[in-house]
Amino acid sequence: VRIYARRDEQLEAAKQYVAETLPRVIESRDFGEPGVATTTTSLAEALDGAWLAVESAPEKLEIIDDS
């Protein structure tokens, strides 16, 4: 998994969330092994070789609305 964001503080928050949450998710499902999550501020690097990209943004219209 590659996590892309424009700001380093967003990436740090994402890494912390994954580190805290993933072990509990795996334990609650009683199967699986954690993979690797990397972070980058480069969109090109994040998409290099990807077969699936998922875009996500907070529910704030000033962020989402590009009109």
Side-chain angles (χ1 to χ4, degrees):
V1 172
R2 291 183 211 134
I3 302 170
Y4 162 76
R6 290 183 278 179
R7 296 192 331 247
D8 287 331
E9 59 269 16
Q10 293 169 316
L11 294 175
E12 286 303 316
K15 284 195 314 190
Q16 182 176 347
Y17 178 81
V18 169
E20 292 173 358
T21 306
L22 185 57
R24 291 193 306 257
V25 170
I26 291 172
E27 184 179 329
S28 72
R29 293 179 179 218
D30 207 25
F31 71 92
E33 296 291 325
V36 176
T38 60
T39 60
T40 182
T41 56
S42 165
L43 183 58
E45 184 180 327
L47 295 175
D48 184 39
W51 61 268
L52 175 66
V54 178
E55 181 182 16
S56 176
E59 292 296 325
K60 295 180 179 177
L61 290 180
E62 64 272 11
I63 294 173
I64 300 170
D65 186 16
D66 57 342
S67 59

